[in-house]
Amino acid sequence: MPLRVTFLGTAGAIPTTERNPSAIFVARAGDELLFDAGEGTQRQMMRYGTGFSVSHLFVTHLHGDHVLGIPGLLQTMDFNDREAPLAIHTPAGTRRQLKGLVNALGNRPSFPVRISEVGDGDVAYRADEYEVRAFATDHDTRSVGYALVEDERKGRFDRERAEELGVPVGPKFSKLHAGEPVELEDGTVVEPDQVVGDPRPGRSIVYTGDTRPTAAAIEVANEPDLLIHDATFADDRADRAAKTAHSTARQAAEIANRAAADRLALVHISSRYAGHTDDHESQAQAVFDGELVIPEDGTDLEIPYPDADDDTNADD
Ligand SMILES: [Zn+2]
Ligand SMILES: [Zn+2]
């Protein structure tokens, strides 16, 4: 089950010629999700080939650099005769403001737009095999971050052991893997725990949006595969980070370490650091043990299963 993240916009509040304002596209099986939509997001979607079939848009907060792309994107969806509904999730207390952006189109879009408010701890979206949770962040306006957390997967199915026990290859394999005992022709009953290992964790991605360092980003998911964190500034402007409710690269790395994240992606890079993120890199690396990424616009990250090498399934 591929899980892919495409960074559409990695700039801070002011875009640069290299970096667009905030937007992150996530694709998982047939689901396409968008997190924030800064100005120009639709052109980034064209440029990096994500398509426009997004079903859910998760807004972290209503600062312009995270939402000004919404009217243009909706208008293009409208011109494309979209019929599928679009769900927009926005922090509690911001529904009216968000509605204003939708109304900025000048006409009602041809497809349903559903706006729902989310607060700390809410499940914004429950899908078949994962959910998107909201968590409180510490910015200077109503704000949340989001975590995509997959359900636990079934344990590994031991085909060899099943065959040894005399289970015939076929539907009984699937039954056992699904947790049901099966009876063999000679009357022996084989229990699932004889051939199925412990459940395995799913993958998770945490996106903070704009925030000071906060423990909520650690608690929302267990050892995330990818933490995408505000790193507006480097150490030279740590005061400014605190004052403007942002984080430094080093602070983002501290959170990533405490969360035991596999990978850390630093985003929302201030235009002051246009073309030189060496300090971000060295200061984060001094703290964080995992893999560090400072994505550019258009960077794609695949999120593999931690045990991807031997992902056996009874149905294979
Ligand atoms: Zn911002
Ligand atoms: Zn902001």
Side-chain angles (χ1 to χ4, degrees):
M1 190 67 66
L3 177 62
R4 197 181 75 247
V5 177
T6 305
F7 294 88
L8 297 174
T10 57
I14 303 171
T16 67
T17 53
E18 304 297 320
R19 294 184 189 272
N20 214 67
S22 294
I24 295 167
F25 178 88
V26 175
R28 185 191 183 281
D31 283 359
E32 298 183 357
L33 315 174
L34 187 62
F35 294 82
D36 287 335
E39 183 188 343
T41 293
Q42 59 166 324
R43 289 199 67 230
Q44 299 293 83
M45 294 171 87
M46 294 173 193
R47 182 172 290 148
Y48 302 117
T50 62
F52 288 101
S53 311
V54 166
S55 56
H56 289 259
L57 166 60
F58 301 88
V59 173
T60 59
H61 65 295
L62 274 284
H63 283 159
D65 56 314
H66 297 255
V67 294
L68 287 177
I70 293 176
L73 175 61
L74 294 189
Q75 175 161 305
T76 297
M77 287 173 166
D78 195 34
F79 284 149
N80 288 341
D81 297 325
R82 178 184 173 117
E83 288 176 3
L86 176 69
I88 305 181
H89 309 271
T90 192
T94 63
R95 184 196 174 84
R96 267 181 72 168
Q97 213 184 330
L98 195 104
K99 220 169 169 194
L101 285 163
V102 176
N103 291 339
L105 287 180
N107 61 302
R108 270 177 97 92
S110 56
F111 54 95
V113 177
R114 300 187 185 123
I115 303 171
S116 49
E117 295 190 342
V118 288
D120 185 28
D122 288 348
V123 172
Y125 173 44
R126 174 69 221 174
D128 265 355
E129 296 177 329
Y130 67 93
E131 62 188 27
V132 179
R133 304 172 184 164
F135 62 95
T137 51
D138 181 11
H139 200 37
D140 58 3
T141 184
R142 296 168 197 273
S143 65
V144 292
Y146 294 99
L148 186 160
V149 182
E150 289 184 338
D151 300 343
E152 275 191 336
R153 289 171 301 142
K154 288 182 287 194
R156 190 171 290 110
F157 186 76
D158 189 340
R159 296 182 73 101
E160 244 171 58
R161 179 82 189 118
E163 282 177 42
E164 271 169 28
L165 290 168
V167 184
V169 178
K172 288 204 163 85
F173 272 30
S174 311
K175 242 181 149 174
L176 280 164
H177 204 186
E180 290 173 54
V182 300
E183 192 178 335
L184 306 182
E185 271 180 13
D186 65 2
T188 323
V189 174
V190 177
E191 296 291 338
D193 61 7
Q194 291 178 267
V195 290
V196 182
D198 291 335
R200 295 166 292 168
R203 298 162 294 186
S204 57
I205 301 169
V206 177
Y207 170 49
T208 62
D210 294 1
T211 189
R212 293 188 184 95
T214 168
I218 300 165
E219 287 147 17
V220 68
N222 188 28
E223 302 183 5
D225 295 82
L226 177 64
L227 170 65
I228 305 168
H229 203 289
D230 177 330
T232 309
F233 299 106
D235 284 350
D236 60 324
R237 291 186 177 87
D239 291 356
R240 182 142 182 84
K243 212 165 159 185
T244 57
H246 286 292
S247 298
T248 63
R250 184 184 298 274
Q251 289 169 331
E254 281 160 2
I255 295 292
N257 241 5
R258 286 171 57 195
D262 271 353
R263 274 198 277 189
L264 168 64
L266 302 178
V267 295
H268 204 269
I269 309 293
S270 164
S271 58
R272 294 162 187 269
Y273 303 94
H276 56 97
T277 50
D278 300 0
D279 288 347
H280 280 69
E281 193 176 336
S282 59
Q283 289 159 15
Q285 224 140 36
V287 175
F288 179 55
D289 303 331
E291 184 187 334
L292 177 70
V293 192
I294 305 181
E296 296 173 355
D297 289 10
T299 295
D300 259 332
L301 293 182
E302 288 287 345
I303 316 294
Y305 287 110
D307 50 2
D309 296 345
D310 52 354
D311 190 23
T312 22
N313 198 303
D315 304 320
D316 288 349

